[in-house]
Amino acid sequence: MGREEEEKRSKEIVLGRNVHTTCLAVTEPDANDEFTGDKEAYMASVLARYRKTLMERTKHHLGYPYNLDFDYGALSQLQHFSINNLGDPFIESNYGVHSRQFEVGVLDWFARLWEIEKDEYWGYITNCGTEGNLHGILVGREVLPDGILYASQETHYSVFKAARMYRMECVKVATSLSGEIDCADFKAKLLANKDKPAIINVNIGTTVKGAVDDLDLVIETLEECGFTHDRFYIHCDGALFGLMMPFVKRAPKVTFKKPIGSVSVSGHKFVGCPMPCGVQITRMEHINALSRNVEYLASRDATIMGSRNGHAPIFLWYTLNRKGYKGFQKEVQKCLRNAHYLKDRLRDAGISAMLNELSSTVVFERPVDDEFVRRWQLACQGNIAHVVVMPNVTIEKLDYFLDELIEKRNTWFLDKKVQPPCVAADIGSENCLCDLHK
Amino acid sequence: MGREEEEKRSKEIVLGRNVHTTCLAVTEPDANDEFTGDKEAYMASVLARYRKTLMERTKHHLGYPYNLDFDYGALSQLQHFSINNLGDPFIESNYGVHSRQFEVGVLDWFARLWEIEKDEYWGYITNCGTEGNLHGILVGREVLPDGILYASQETHYSVFKAARMYRMECVKVATSLSGEIDCADFKAKLLANKDKPAIINVNIGTTVKGAVDDLDLVIETLEECGFTHDRFYIHCDGALFGLMMPFVKRAPKVTFKKPIGSVSVSGHKFVGCPMPCGVQITRMEHINALSRNVEYLASRDATIMGSRNGHAPIFLWYTLNRKGYKGFQKEVQKCLRNAHYLKDRLRDAGISAMLNELSSTVVFERPVDDEFVRRWQLACQGNIAHVVVMPNVTIEKLDYFLDELIEKRNTWFLDKKVQPPCVAADIGSENCLCDLHK
C-alpha cells in the first residue's frame, strides 16, 4: 500500500469508522459469579496478559517524549482515595480529600525555575500539555481580546485547536528547516497587522524536530515593529524542553524576567508520571483579569477543568524532591550525550539524521517498514521519523534499536529498486545522505 | 463575620491572594542524602501523615457526589506504566502503552445504556465532567455555528465557561424552585430568537439541588416554537444522575432515540475512581463534521485534550465488569432509600429539607457553624447546604452525621438570638420549617 493510499485510508478512519476489533467488552456478571469465581479469574487473566503487553511495549518505546522510568511504589497506598483538587490550587474548597499542599509545593518549584516570585505568579497542575496551551492562550485572549494569535507552522496542533475553539484570528508563521520560527516572516506578518495586539505562541521545543524558537529574537521583533509590552502576550509552550532547557549550558533562558505571560510544561514527559499531566504558570496580574471576568459565573474558577486529578501533583512532588535541580541537570546532560551518540551512529551507518543543538530529539529517515515503526513506536511525519532520547533511554537500548534498524534496512534496500528517501526538504541537504546528497 | 463580609473576603482571595501557608515545599536533596536516608525518612513520614488525613477526611465526607467506596487493589500493579490514550480512542496511535481496548469496552457499555448503536456513536473518556460539557457544546457549535446557547440558571458553571471560551451568545433560562428548567421561560426566550438555531444544555441532575430537567418537555417546546431537528442541538449534562437515572423506575429516559446530540457523565461520581474522569458519547455524524473541519490541523483530533489518562478507562472497566447493570440498579435503589431516610429524619428534627423525586441529593438549611460545614465537607450555596447520598453513604454514617447535627444545632439556637434561617425562597415554603413557615 503506497503512502497516498495509506493516507487516504487513515483519513477514512478519522472520518468515523468505529474500530471495535480489539476491544475488551464489559460483560454482565452472572448470578452465581461470586460463588464460582469465574469472572474474577477471567478479569485477573485479562489484567495479567495486559501487564505483559505493557512491559513489552514499554521496553520497545522510543518515539514519544515520555520518561518511562519511574518508581512510585511508595505512593501506591494513595490509590485507595478519590483525591480531587477541584478549582483553584490556592483556595481550599470544602472537599477535604485533596492534595493542594503538594500541588502548591510543586508550583513553587517551577516558579523558582522560571524566576517569578511566589506572590507574583498563579498556576496549576493540568491534565496535559494541551490544557496548558488552552489556558495560556485563553489568558492571552482575555488580556488582549482583539489580539491575533501568531504561531509557527511547526507548532503543536493544540495551539491551532485553541484558535478555532476560541474563535481567534490566527496567523501561521514560516519556520526554518531546523523547525525554528522564522522571525523575518514573523516581522512581515506583524507589520501587516499592526493595528491589532499580538498573542504569540513560542515553542520551547517543537513536537517533531525539537526546535527551540528564539525567544529573545521574538521579543526584539515585536519591539522593532512598534509593539509595546501592553500590546503583546507571549505564551511559551515548553511541553518537553521547558524542563530541560534550564539545565542546558548556553541555552537561552525562559524566564519571567522577560516580558512573557505564561509557560507550560508537561509533567509526564521529562519527569515521568503514570498519567499525563502538566504545569502551568502565569502572572498573578493576568489571572486576576481572568477571574474578575468570570466572577459572575462562579467565583474561583480560573482553571480550564473543574475537578482535577489530585494524584498527579503527588507524583511530581515525589520526583522533584528525590531528584532536585541537580538530579535533573545530570539527567538532561545524559540525554543530550545519548542523543549525540544516536545521531552519530545513524550518520555513520549512512542514514540521514539531524539533531538540533539544544535538543534530544533525533530526526532521521523514516523506516520504510511500518511494522518496524510500530515495534519501536516511532512518531513519523512525511519522510521523517524521530526518537526522543529520554532518561530511560540508555546506550544499550539505543544499540539494540540501531543494530536492528541497520540489519533490517539492509534488507529493505537490498534489490536497489527501493532507495532511501531524500529528506533534504525536511532536514536540509547537509543532513541528507540520499544518493543525490551524500 | 457576616455573610456579606465573608463573601467580600472570599472575593479578595479569588482575585489573587497566593496562599502558601499549608504547602509542602520541595527541597533540594543534600549530597549525602542517599547515605543518611534522612530525606527518604522525611518523605515517608509526610506521606504517612497525609494518608491519615485522607482516611479521616474520607470518613467524614458527605457533600460532594463522589462514591468514595472502591477497591482497585488488583490494579495497583499498573501504576508502574505511563499509560496514555493520546488522541482518538478508536484509532491506535504509534504509542503502544495505551488502554484503548478497555476504553472502547467502557464506551460500548454506555452506548448500550443510552441506546445508540456501536456504529452510530463516537465518544471518549474525559478528565472530568467539565471536559464533557466543553466537548458537547463545542460539537453543538460546530454543527450549528451561529447557534445560541440556552442553559438554565442552575446549570453547572462549566457550561457558562464554555460559552465564554467559545464566544457564543448565551441565554440563561429561569428555573422552578425545585431547580428544573422553566419551559415557559424557555419558550419565551426561544421565540425571541427564532432566527437563530438553538444549542441547549439539559441538566440530568443539577449540581446543587439534583433537579432533572424535563427532556421531553424541552424537545416539545423546541418543536412548538418551530425548531426543526436540524436547527437544534441538545447536550445532556448527566454529571452524576446520567448513570443513576436509567435505573430509577418512572424516570424519564435519556436515550439517543430522542433527538439529542450528546450525553456526558462523570466517572468518579457514581462509579467511583481515584481520579476525576468522565464519559462522553455523541453521534458519529456530528463528530464527522467536527473531524472534517479540523483535518488541516491534525488528523484524528476530535477530543479536547491531546494526551489522555489511560488508567481511568481501566478503573471504569473494572467496576462496570464487577457490578454490571444489575449491581448499579441495586446501588441506585439503596441511595434513593437512604436519601429519603435522611430527609425524613431532618424534617422530624425540625430542620428544613427538600429531596427531588428522582434524586439522592438532600438539600437542607445551611448549618450556621462553618467548622461543622468543613468537618462534613458540605457543599453550600447561600442559605442551603446539601448531602449527596452516594453508595458509600450508609445509614450508620447518616445517623452519625444527624446525631451530631441535631446536638450542635441545639447549641447554635440555644439563646434564641439566632434563629434558623428561612429557606422558603430556596426550596419552597412547603419545605421550610422556619418560625414563619412551620
Side-chain angles (χ1 to χ4, degrees):
Chain A
M1 192 159 61
R3 174 94 8 103
E4 228 179 271
E5 245 180 88
E6 199 174 85
E7 258 178 43
K8 206 180 134 218
R9 193 194 58 157
S10 100
K11 275 181 196 167
E12 272 165 17
I13 295 175
V14 174
L15 295 179
R17 201 133 51 83
N18 209 325
V19 180
H20 279 99
T21 45
T22 55
C23 124
L24 292 162
V26 174
T27 55
E28 193 69 8
D30 276 346
N32 62 348
D33 262 345
E34 255 178 69
F35 179 69
T36 63
D38 284 355
K39 182 123 194 188
E40 287 288 323
Y42 160 73
M43 285 170 68
S45 80
V46 165
L47 289 169
R49 268 201 313 273
Y50 179 58
R51 188 161 178 270
K52 269 196 191 161
T53 313
L54 290 178
M55 285 172 71
E56 187 278 325
R57 295 282 70 200
T58 297
K59 197 172 138 200
H60 287 100
H61 173 264
L62 281 179
Y64 290 79
Y66 308 147
N67 180 3
L68 304 186
D69 183 18
F70 49 74
D71 176 7
Y72 291 120
L75 304 179
S76 64
Q77 46 173 329
L78 302 179
Q79 202 186 259
H80 298 289
F81 301 100
S82 181
I83 312 179
N84 191 335
N85 290 357
L86 53 166
D88 193 299
F90 299 101
I91 301 162
E92 275 201 67
S93 84
N94 274 348
Y95 183 61
V97 188
H98 68 79
S99 65
R100 281 181 179 72
Q101 61 276 49
F102 295 90
E103 183 172 18
V104 174
V106 169
L107 294 173
D108 281 351
W109 191 91
F110 279 91
R112 214 151 55 228
L113 188 69
W114 295 323
E115 305 186 305
I116 183 165
E117 296 295 322
K118 279 190 191 182
D119 56 352
E120 284 178 8
Y121 87 85
W122 183 90
Y124 75 107
I125 292 182
T126 60
N127 284 297
C128 57
T130 293
E131 187 175 354
N133 288 339
L134 288 182
H135 193 270
I137 291 163
L138 184 62
V139 170
R141 194 198 71 176
E142 295 307 285
V143 172
L144 301 168
D146 60 340
I148 293 177
L149 179 62
Y150 297 86
S152 89
Q153 61 192 21
E154 303 235 5
T155 298
H156 190 254
Y157 64 83
S158 60
V159 170
F160 301 109
K161 176 156 68 178
R164 183 152 165 273
M165 279 169 66
Y166 300 156
R167 291 184 159 166
M168 294 169 76
E169 199 181 326
C170 178
V171 173
K172 267 195 191 180
V173 182
T175 49
S176 65
L177 271 182
S178 72
E180 273 178 65
I181 191 167
D182 172 351
C183 277
D185 188 52
F186 180 43
K187 188 172 185 174
K189 282 171 176 159
L190 275 177
L191 290 174
N193 296 287
K194 273 194 74 169
D195 54 320
K196 287 202 178 163
I199 296 161
I200 308 99
N201 178 79
V202 168
N203 295 309
I204 309 303
T206 58
T207 315
V208 177
K209 295 179 181 170
V212 177
D213 291 345
D214 187 336
L215 176 59
D216 295 325
L217 191 57
V218 165
I219 295 171
E220 215 179 287
T221 307
L222 282 158
E223 288 169 346
E224 269 174 35
C225 294
F227 284 79
T228 48
H229 288 194
D230 58 336
R231 290 192 66 243
F232 68 82
Y233 180 97
I234 294 176
H235 169 68
C236 298
D237 176 5
L240 166 64
F241 288 142
L243 188 46
M244 295 178 72
M245 287 260 298
F247 304 113
V248 179
K249 284 169 208 152
R250 307 175 320 276
K253 247 189 167 174
V254 175
T255 164
F256 278 92
K257 290 184 176 161
K258 298 176 183 173
I260 60 171
S262 44
V263 183
S264 58
V265 72
S266 295
H268 58 297
K269 290 182 180 160
F270 198 75
V271 183
C273 187
M275 70 280 291
C277 62
V279 174
Q280 175 71 0
I281 301 276
T282 184
R283 292 181 192 274
M284 185 77 84
E285 51 179 308
H286 295 325
I287 209 67
N288 283 354
L290 190 71
S291 303
R292 208 172 293 126
N293 287 341
V294 296
E295 206 162 48
Y296 78 99
L297 303 182
S299 71
R300 314 181 180 200
D301 180 32
T303 55
I304 300 277
M305 294 302 156
S307 281
R308 297 190 301 107
N309 184 342
H311 293 267
I314 308 175
F315 288 123
L316 297 182
W317 182 88
Y318 188 77
T319 299
L320 298 186
N321 255 308
R322 285 176 61 126
K323 296 193 176 166
Y325 295 102
K326 264 186 217 136
F328 281 109
Q329 188 158 29
K330 262 192 220 161
E331 289 199 330
V332 169
Q333 285 163 354
K334 193 183 83 178
C335 289
L336 295 183
R337 259 196 327 270
N338 290 355
H340 275 280
Y341 174 81
L342 171 61
K343 185 206 66 179
D344 291 343
R345 273 209 60 191
L346 285 165
R347 300 281 279 267
D348 290 348
I351 302 170
S352 308
M354 176 182 84
L355 172 59
N356 274 314
E357 200 197 341
L358 306 168
S359 169
S360 70
T361 300
V362 179
V363 182
F364 59 101
E365 162 205 312
R366 180 184 182 144
V368 293
D369 180 0
D370 280 349
E371 197 42 60
F372 183 86
V373 167
R374 266 193 297 274
R375 173 167 157 81
W376 288 97
Q377 302 163 54
L378 306 175
C380 298
Q381 186 178 290
N383 280 330
I384 55 174
H386 76 201
V387 160
V388 186
V389 178
M390 298 301 286
N392 65 315
V393 176
T394 57
I395 292 283
E396 290 70 41
K397 192 166 183 172
L398 289 174
D399 280 339
Y400 178 19
F401 165 73
L402 282 159
D403 293 347
E404 205 174 295
L405 174 63
I406 292 165
E407 193 197 314
K408 292 263 178 189
R409 200 168 170 274
N410 285 337
T411 67
W412 300 334
F413 303 125
L414 192 62
D415 63 357
K416 306 276 176 194
K417 263 189 236 158
V418 191
Q419 293 292 323
C422 171
V423 292
D426 300 289
I427 57 176
S429 55
E430 70 279 19
N431 296 312
C432 182
L433 298 177
C434 78
D435 276 353
L436 183 67
H437 293 105
K438 76 181 168 193
Chain B
M1 191 158 61
R3 173 90 12 103
E4 228 178 86
E5 246 181 88
E6 201 173 81
E7 261 178 40
K8 206 180 133 217
R9 194 194 57 158
S10 97
K11 275 181 196 167
E12 274 165 15
I13 295 175
V14 174
L15 295 179
R17 201 132 52 82
N18 207 325
V19 181
H20 280 99
T21 44
T22 55
C23 125
L24 293 162
V26 174
T27 55
E28 192 69 8
D30 276 345
N32 62 348
D33 262 346
E34 255 178 68
F35 180 69
T36 64
D38 283 356
K39 181 123 193 189
E40 287 289 323
Y42 160 73
M43 284 169 68
S45 83
V46 166
L47 289 170
R49 269 201 312 274
Y50 179 57
R51 186 162 179 271
K52 268 197 190 161
T53 314
L54 290 179
M55 286 174 70
E56 186 278 326
R57 295 282 69 201
T58 296
K59 195 172 139 201
H60 286 100
H61 173 264
L62 281 178
Y64 291 79
Y66 309 146
N67 180 4
L68 304 187
D69 184 17
F70 49 75
D71 177 7
Y72 290 120
L75 303 180
S76 63
Q77 45 172 332
L78 302 180
Q79 201 186 260
H80 298 288
F81 301 100
S82 181
I83 312 179
N84 191 335
N85 290 357
L86 52 166
D88 194 300
F90 298 101
I91 302 162
E92 275 201 69
S93 84
N94 275 348
Y95 183 61
V97 189
H98 68 80
S99 65
R100 281 182 179 73
Q101 61 276 49
F102 294 90
E103 183 172 17
V104 174
V106 169
L107 294 173
D108 281 351
W109 190 90
F110 279 91
R112 213 151 56 227
L113 188 69
W114 294 324
E115 304 184 308
I116 182 164
E117 295 297 321
K118 279 189 190 181
D119 57 351
E120 284 178 7
Y121 86 86
W122 183 90
Y124 75 107
I125 293 183
T126 60
N127 284 297
C128 59
T130 292
E131 187 175 353
N133 288 339
L134 289 182
H135 192 270
I137 291 163
L138 184 62
V139 170
R141 193 198 72 177
E142 296 307 285
V143 172
L144 302 168
D146 61 338
I148 294 177
L149 178 62
Y150 297 85
S152 89
Q153 61 191 20
E154 303 235 1
T155 298
H156 190 256
Y157 64 84
S158 59
V159 170
F160 301 109
K161 176 156 68 179
R164 184 153 163 273
M165 279 169 68
Y166 301 157
R167 290 185 159 163
M168 294 169 77
E169 199 180 328
C170 178
V171 173
K172 267 193 193 182
V173 182
T175 49
S176 65
L177 272 181
S178 71
E180 271 176 68
I181 190 166
D182 172 350
C183 278
D185 188 51
F186 180 44
K187 188 172 186 174
K189 282 168 176 161
L190 275 176
L191 289 175
N193 297 287
K194 273 194 73 168
D195 54 323
K196 288 203 178 159
I199 296 161
I200 308 100
N201 178 80
V202 168
N203 295 308
I204 310 303
T206 59
T207 316
V208 176
K209 294 179 181 170
V212 177
D213 290 345
D214 188 334
L215 175 59
D216 295 324
L217 192 57
V218 164
I219 295 170
E220 212 178 291
T221 307
L222 281 158
E223 288 169 347
E224 269 175 33
C225 294
F227 284 78
T228 49
H229 287 194
D230 58 336
R231 291 193 66 245
F232 68 81
Y233 179 97
I234 294 176
H235 169 69
C236 298
D237 176 6
L240 166 64
F241 288 141
L243 189 47
M244 296 178 70
M245 286 261 296
F247 305 113
V248 179
K249 284 169 208 153
R250 306 177 319 277
K253 245 189 167 174
V254 174
T255 163
F256 278 91
K257 291 186 176 161
K258 298 176 183 173
I260 61 171
S262 45
V263 183
S264 57
V265 71
S266 295
H268 58 299
K269 289 182 177 161
F270 199 75
V271 182
C273 188
M275 70 279 292
C277 62
V279 173
Q280 176 69 2
I281 301 275
T282 184
R283 292 181 192 274
M284 184 78 83
E285 51 178 310
H286 296 324
I287 210 67
N288 283 355
L290 191 71
S291 304
R292 208 171 295 129
N293 286 340
V294 296
E295 207 164 46
Y296 78 99
L297 305 181
S299 70
R300 316 179 179 203
D301 180 32
T303 55
I304 300 278
M305 295 302 158
S307 280
R308 298 190 300 107
N309 185 341
H311 292 269
I314 309 175
F315 289 124
L316 297 182
W317 182 88
Y318 187 77
T319 300
L320 298 186
N321 255 309
R322 285 175 60 126
K323 296 191 176 168
Y325 296 103
K326 263 187 218 134
F328 282 109
Q329 187 159 32
K330 261 192 219 162
E331 290 199 329
V332 169
Q333 284 163 355
K334 193 183 82 176
C335 288
L336 295 182
R337 258 197 326 272
N338 290 355
H340 274 280
Y341 174 81
L342 171 61
K343 185 207 65 180
D344 290 343
R345 274 210 58 192
L346 285 166
R347 300 280 280 266
D348 290 348
I351 302 171
S352 307
M354 176 181 85
L355 171 60
N356 274 314
E357 201 197 341
L358 307 168
S359 169
S360 71
T361 301
V362 180
V363 181
F364 59 101
E365 162 206 310
R366 179 185 184 144
V368 294
D369 180 359
D370 280 349
E371 197 43 59
F372 183 85
V373 167
R374 266 193 296 273
R375 175 168 156 80
W376 287 97
Q377 303 164 54
L378 305 175
C380 298
Q381 185 178 292
N383 280 329
I384 55 174
H386 78 202
V387 160
V388 186
V389 179
M390 298 301 286
N392 66 316
V393 176
T394 57
I395 292 283
E396 291 69 40
K397 192 165 185 175
L398 289 174
D399 280 339
Y400 178 20
F401 164 75
L402 282 159
D403 292 347
E404 205 174 295
L405 173 64
I406 292 165
E407 193 196 313
K408 292 265 177 183
R409 199 167 171 274
N410 286 336
T411 67
W412 301 333
F413 302 124
L414 192 62
D415 64 0
K416 305 277 176 192
K417 263 189 236 158
V418 191
Q419 293 292 323
C422 172
V423 290
D426 300 289
I427 57 175
S429 55
E430 71 280 18
N431 296 311
C432 181
L433 298 176
C434 78
D435 277 354
L436 182 68
H437 292 108
K438 76 184 170 191

